[in-house]
Amino acid sequence: MGAVERDIDDLPKNDANYTALTPLHFLDRAALIHPDRNSLIHGSLAYTWRQTYRRCRQLASALSSRGIAFGSTVAVIAPNVPAMYEAHFGIPMSGAVINAVNVRLNATTIAFLLAHSQSAVVMVDQEFYALAKESLKIWEDSRKGKFSRPILVVIGDVNCDPRSLHEALSEGAIDYEKFLETGDPDFEWKPPQDEWHSIALGYTSGTTASPKGVVLHHRGAYLMSISNSVVWDIKEGAVFLWTLPMFHCNGWCFTWTLAAICGTNVCLRQVQAKGVYSAIADLGVTHFCAAPVVLNAIVNARKDEQILPLPRTVHVMTAGAAPPPSVLFSMAQQGFRVTHTYGLSETFGPSTVCAWKPEWNSLPLEKQARMNARQGVRYTALEGLDVVHTQNMKPVPADGKTVGEIVFRGNAVMKGYLKNPKANEEAFADGWFHSGDLGVKHPDGYIEIKDRSKDIIISGGENISSVEVENVLYHHPAILEVSVVARPDERWGESPCAFVTLKPEVDDSDHRKLAEDITKFSRAEMPAYWVPKSVVFGPLPKTATGKIQKHLLRSRAKEMGTLKKSRL
């Protein structure tokens, strides 16, 4: 046995010098410093930080008075509205865990995750009341008479058709504002006794099996909230537009970051390019986060929806999929400053950043976009990031070519999956969190995703990165969006199949001619074996956060049958 390590002292922790880390303290600080600054703007509705702190304490108090406490879970089914923001503080202030539910899931999936998390309260925005009602019915039916119905709270919104609100209230749901009135605005909430206690539960989109419940702790939420402001240099008083759903990894922890920097949250119920440009022009927006698909919609918006030139530099953080360099290039041309990050629900949202280097400023814009399209280096609050050989866990050489799995380690990694020991064993094998993403490490130490392990196309024994093929195709003048997947191929085993959405102004009357033009372009721009052998036109299926659902496209490519004769 090794010698016991001794510190230079024997001074113990005490109440004066040690407290559990939690992002909840950011809120009372914001209310103290800027009580009259706008905390939230939603249409004609505006709250100050003083009001938001009082409302969050009322929510915590109302929940506590109904027996919701440490060990309880509260589900919230809502888009980006003030109540969803308040839930990120009020629910954990009661000791409970927030389960922010993706509003685009179907009732069967929501029923599964409400049951799996044993949600004791369901808060639902009026627009999604029918969805919640159906989900609760499915859950109740599955319990065969042993069902304890959760408390149902409906969130009203003047911007919505009042009928769904009236229906919810007539069926016994409690109005959110009335629910708050039952709480004490001076409620003395208590921070967690242990920073390892859970603050949030979020479900991964279960594309192949049941969704997995990602459990996050107060410590990680605190560190990632602070890390966001350090990595992005988002300063005190920033005006942040909620284009990213708060239900997605708790808004990448920006729900809590905005309180830490005493900023202003601008809620956007529906994300459309026009609304984004209007908020920038009218409300002083300085920052927003969005998946690359949203950036694509912004730069390709109709001229009458755009408000250019931008009144100020607007900072954009993008993650959720690898952004095509062409989209980054177009954003830069319009005056947006894009910071590219990458992460997963299991790492509190983005946990790597393509940290910008001053020497890149002198590069041509296209080269800058290519450098910025890489996933980069670890966040300030992440201790370990590497690309490793899957067989032996040894780091791959930093040659920009050798492909390995991206792995994470440190305080920015989840506690684990709820009630799923098998998945935890796999995810945490060898002392690392395994992302399932394949990438390379460049000579400068920056990592770059090449694909999800299941999205690599193996054609004639050669590995093809679908992301790299997509990046080339995005330069085609007619292509708005593209996703490339494997299609069974008689000669090559698999070959690339491109699903394409055309730009609105493109004449799409002759698909055959367009497909030939895309193939011709591909032959000139990429290796012959990368060239898509099939091109399919139409809208692409997406998740709630704007990620293209490749698993659905893979199924469609399979249903198209085996490609009989390849013209390679």
Side-chain angles (χ1 to χ4, degrees):
M1 254 176 75
V4 177
E5 285 190 337
R6 280 194 66 90
D7 206 338
I8 61 160
D9 65 88
D10 54 5
L11 298 165
K13 292 174 187 167
N14 62 51
D15 287 346
N17 65 19
Y18 179 84
T19 185
L21 298 179
T22 174
L24 301 180
H25 286 300
F26 301 152
L27 182 56
D28 54 291
R29 181 177 176 274
L32 173 73
I33 310 170
H34 293 290
D36 300 317
R37 176 182 284 172
N38 277 342
S39 54
L40 284 157
I41 298 171
H42 178 51
S44 56
L45 194 66
Y47 293 116
T48 63
W49 278 113
R50 180 196 283 117
Q51 288 171 315
T52 292
Y53 183 38
R54 287 172 69 84
R55 286 171 65 82
C56 291
R57 279 185 290 174
Q58 279 184 288
L59 175 55
S61 170
L63 290 168
S64 298
S65 68
R66 286 165 173 82
I68 304 304
F70 182 64
S72 305
T73 300
V74 177
V76 189
I77 306 169
N80 291 342
V81 291
M84 179 57 124
Y85 187 82
E86 291 161 1
H88 275 83
F89 290 92
I91 293 169
M93 280 173 166
S94 73
V97 171
I98 176 171
N99 172 15
V101 179
N102 181 335
V103 298
R104 298 198 195 153
L105 295 173
N106 60 29
T108 309
T109 309
I110 292 177
F112 166 81
L113 57 89
L114 293 178
H116 187 260
S117 63
Q118 292 297 297
S119 293
V121 179
V122 176
M123 287 168 47
V124 59
D125 178 88
Q126 66 172 79
E127 189 187 341
F128 300 97
Y129 174 68
L131 179 66
K133 183 173 150 182
E134 192 186 340
S135 305
L136 288 168
K137 172 126 183 34
I138 294 168
W139 179 12
E140 184 173 4
D141 291 347
S142 72
R143 295 292 296 143
K144 299 185 174 57
K146 298 179 192 157
F147 182 63
S148 174
R149 194 171 180 79
I151 298 163
L152 190 60
V153 178
V154 64
I155 303 157
D157 190 331
V158 292
N159 304 300
C160 293
D161 184 331
R163 283 176 297 190
S164 54
L165 178 63
H166 297 325
E167 182 193 346
L169 298 175
S170 71
E171 291 176 359
I174 310 166
D175 178 78
Y176 178 69
E177 294 300 326
K178 296 266 190 297
F179 187 70
L180 287 194
E181 282 167 21
T182 66
D184 177 5
D186 298 314
F187 177 68
E188 288 192 25
W189 60 278
K190 290 185 177 58
Q193 289 179 317
D194 185 343
E195 60 194 27
W196 187 249
H197 284 169
S198 308
I199 188 171
L201 170 66
Y203 283 82
T204 61
S205 44
T207 52
T208 46
S210 295
K212 296 196 283 278
V214 175
V215 184
L216 305 179
H217 45 71
H218 282 261
R219 175 184 177 80
Y222 174 95
L223 292 168
M224 291 306 273
S225 307
I226 297 285
S227 210
N228 274 337
S229 98
V230 172
V231 159
W232 203 15
D233 197 24
I234 178 169
K235 295 209 164 47
E236 202 275 344
V239 180
F240 183 89
L241 179 65
W242 278 102
T243 42
L244 165 75
M246 288 186 219
F247 60 67
H248 186 51
C249 308
N250 307 100
W252 300 351
C253 292
F254 278 99
T255 41
W256 300 303
T257 300
L258 263 289
I261 61 166
C262 310
T264 298
N265 297 275
V266 178
C267 292
L268 203 56
R269 199 181 171 89
Q270 268 113 17
V271 180
Q272 284 152 341
K274 190 177 182 179
V276 173
Y277 282 109
S278 299
I280 291 167
D282 304 337
L283 297 171
V285 166
T286 58
H287 293 73
F288 68 88
C289 296
V293 66
V294 176
L295 308 190
N296 198 22
I298 289 167
V299 292
N300 286 295
R302 296 198 318 263
K303 290 284 175 274
D304 62 324
E305 293 177 335
Q306 297 178 343
I307 303 174
L308 293 170
L310 296 177
R312 71 198 72 81
T313 301
V314 177
H315 298 269
V316 180
M317 182 182 281
T318 193
S326 59
V327 173
L328 295 177
F329 175 67
S330 302
M331 289 289 286
Q333 278 186 315
Q334 284 199 6
F336 293 98
R337 183 71 190 265
V338 182
T339 297
H340 174 206
T341 59
Y342 151 73
L344 304 97
S345 303
E346 292 88 340
T347 63
F348 291 77
S351 42
T352 84
V353 57
C354 190
W356 191 266
K357 296 187 177 184
E359 55 266 34
W360 296 352
N361 290 333
S362 58
L363 298 173
L365 270 184
E366 285 184 23
K367 183 80 199 290
Q368 286 185 14
R370 268 206 307 281
M371 298 299 273
N372 201 19
R374 303 178 304 167
Q375 279 63 36
V377 294
R378 66 181 194 268
Y379 246 49
T380 317
L382 180 72
E383 287 72 34
L385 172 73
D386 215 338
V387 181
V388 300
H389 290 288
T390 47
Q391 296 80 16
N392 58 18
M393 292 298 293
K394 288 202 166 80
V396 302
D399 58 8
K401 291 192 191 80
T402 310
V403 175
E405 186 186 17
I406 299 168
V407 291
F408 297 80
R409 176 188 275 165
N411 288 297
V413 174
M414 65 169 176
K415 290 173 76 169
Y417 298 117
L418 185 67
K419 306 173 193 166
N420 201 335
K422 186 174 178 292
N424 290 330
E425 204 180 315
E426 289 168 12
F428 295 139
D430 305 300
W432 287 90
F433 168 66
H434 293 259
S435 70
D437 286 327
L438 301 178
V440 296
K441 199 170 9 174
H442 287 278
D444 61 1
Y446 282 49
I447 67 163
E448 183 177 6
I449 286 187
K450 288 301 172 187
D451 232 327
R452 289 291 295 173
S453 51
K454 56 181 178 284
D455 293 336
I456 286 280
I457 300 160
I458 303 167
S459 188
E462 295 280 358
N463 283 5
I464 303 171
S465 159
S466 63
V467 173
E468 292 197 30
V469 180
E470 288 159 5
N471 284 347
V472 175
L473 290 175
Y474 266 107
H475 287 285
H476 189 284
I479 290 177
L480 176 68
E481 290 177 335
V482 61
S483 185
V484 174
V485 298
R487 178 180 175 184
D489 188 298
E490 202 170 54
R491 183 172 175 193
W492 302 105
E494 289 179 344
S495 61
C497 173
F499 287 88
V500 170
T501 304
L502 297 165
K503 288 182 178 170
E505 68 273 15
V506 174
D507 174 12
D508 69 344
S509 57
D510 190 345
H511 280 178
R512 174 178 281 194
K513 190 165 177 293
L514 280 164
E516 282 170 3
D517 188 59
I518 289 167
T519 304
K520 187 180 165 194
F521 172 87
S522 302
R523 287 207 181 103
E525 300 291 332
M526 61 179 80
Y529 69 97
W530 286 19
V531 174
K533 308 289 183 290
S534 330
V535 181
V536 183
F537 297 97
L540 303 178
K542 294 191 184 113
T543 66
T545 49
K547 277 191 204 173
I548 292 162
Q549 293 177 300
K550 279 201 167 179
H551 67 286
L552 296 180
L553 295 178
R554 277 198 298 275
S555 301
R556 274 172 62 186
K558 216 170 178 176
E559 284 161 15
M560 285 159 62
T562 302
L563 199 65
K564 292 296 175 206
K565 174 169 119 264
S566 185
R567 291 187 298 276
L568 188 63

